[in-house]
Amino acid sequence: MGVASPTPLRTKKTRAVGIPTIDFSLESSILSQKIVQACEEYGFFKVVNHGVPNHMIATLEKEATDFFAKPALVKQQAGPPTPFGYGSKNIGFQGDMGQLEYLLLQTNPHSISQASKSISANPTSFSCAVNDYIQSVRGLACEILDLVAEGLKVPDKSVFSRLIRDVESDSCFRLNHYPPAPMPLNKWDPSPPLNTASSRVGFGEHSDPQILTILRSNDVEGLQICTHDELWFPVPPDPNQFCVFVGDALQIHLP
């Protein structure tokens, strides 16, 4: 879960293209075909009717907003990230470029319960919000991976989702918070000098090493996806949808 950077920096051309949006109310065989096609052609798609309850999303978002609104010294009590915990840093000018603060947690109820003591004045409220959200989104992730396996005609339909369901899974949960934009979005220069304030972005060009990333963005512009022909296209934010990214670990299994 995160907020898209409101000041994207791209040195390459951008264009608007149709973004694959998949309705999870469709029949399973149709879903599997659409998901595999989106994975192969874009490595990315959005899902609607995903089944994650709105009240869970709203509760978690409030907990996250309350935490990041705290003074820096208070937030630092939840860090440093080793690798889990609170972190605040400027990302380097190679690869992931930008500025952000974040909470990185293990998707383990006990670990979250322990971490919550230094995150929230009401640890039970925070841990319940996070655990409920993780459980629901994990279900969505497993369903997506089972449909990918079905679409690829893999004999064992749970071959991918087992990586997430396993009690020893190394899945992570991350909350990102980005600094305010230095200028309105509609005035940004797509190729400014790197030493100017307008070059600041929340997260730069990168791919995700894991099998799958499921992102919910607040209603903020900025997220862009790079196509196979190295053109960038914007992904308009929609709080009612989830963005799904194919990670490097899954990409090697796709044609």
Side-chain angles (χ1 to χ4, degrees):
M1 183 176 187
V3 181
S5 166
T7 55
L9 169 65
R10 302 299 181 208
T11 58
K12 303 171 185 176
K13 296 180 179 179
T14 64
R15 68 176 183 184
V17 301
I19 298 169
T21 301
I22 298 176
D23 186 343
F24 264 62
S25 66
L26 295 173
E27 194 271 332
S28 175
S29 61
I30 298 176
L31 271 178
S32 64
Q33 295 173 11
K34 288 182 174 292
I35 289 175
V36 169
Q37 182 179 7
C39 289
E40 292 174 346
E41 295 182 1
Y42 292 91
F44 169 86
F45 56 92
K46 300 174 79 170
V47 296
V48 295
N49 294 319
H50 44 70
V52 180
N54 289 332
H55 72 272
M56 286 187 184
I57 295 173
T59 300
L60 176 64
E61 185 169 314
K62 182 180 184 306
E63 292 288 345
T65 301
D66 290 348
F67 173 76
F68 287 117
K70 293 178 178 180
L73 289 177
V74 176
K75 289 183 286 189
Q76 288 168 5
Q77 295 175 10
T82 56
F84 300 103
Y86 169 76
S88 179
K89 65 180 181 181
N90 295 331
I91 303 174
F93 287 103
Q94 299 295 326
D96 293 353
M97 180 180 61
Q99 299 176 328
L100 78 157
E101 55 178 342
Y102 62 91
L103 270 175
L104 182 63
L105 305 172
Q106 293 176 295
T107 56
N108 177 289
H110 176 72
S111 175
I112 290 172
S113 177
Q114 292 298 112
S116 297
K117 296 175 182 178
S118 60
I119 293 173
S120 174
N122 189 339
T124 300
S125 176
F126 182 87
S127 61
C128 285
V130 173
N131 283 322
D132 287 347
Y133 181 86
I134 287 175
Q135 182 177 358
S136 188
V137 174
R138 179 187 284 122
L140 173 62
C142 289
E143 184 177 1
I144 290 172
L145 291 172
D146 287 346
L147 288 166
V148 169
E150 179 182 338
L152 294 176
K153 303 187 185 307
V154 177
D156 182 359
K157 298 297 188 295
S158 63
V159 64
F160 299 133
S161 62
R162 274 203 307 271
L163 299 174
I164 296 178
R165 291 192 178 101
D166 193 293
V167 294
E168 300 296 330
S169 170
D170 60 355
S171 298
C172 299
F173 172 73
R174 181 165 178 153
L175 291 165
N176 285 345
H177 179 257
Y178 300 103
M183 62 174 58
L185 177 64
N186 59 3
K187 294 182 180 180
W188 72 279
D189 181 350
S191 56
L194 292 179
N195 61 354
T196 66
S198 60
S199 69
R200 186 174 66 181
V201 296
F203 234 103
E205 299 178 26
H206 70 282
S207 64
D208 294 331
Q210 57 268 19
I211 190 168
L212 205 67
T213 296
I214 297 184
L215 167 74
R216 179 185 176 274
S217 172
N218 290 352
D219 195 14
V220 178
E221 299 280 350
L223 177 63
Q224 294 184 4
I225 302 299
C226 185
T227 59
H228 293 303
D229 53 7
E230 296 188 349
L231 291 178
W232 292 91
F233 65 90
V235 180
D238 186 336
N240 297 314
Q241 300 177 347
F242 278 92
C243 297
V244 180
F245 300 79
V246 172
D248 299 340
L250 179 58
Q251 184 176 356
I252 61 174
H253 294 282
L254 296 170

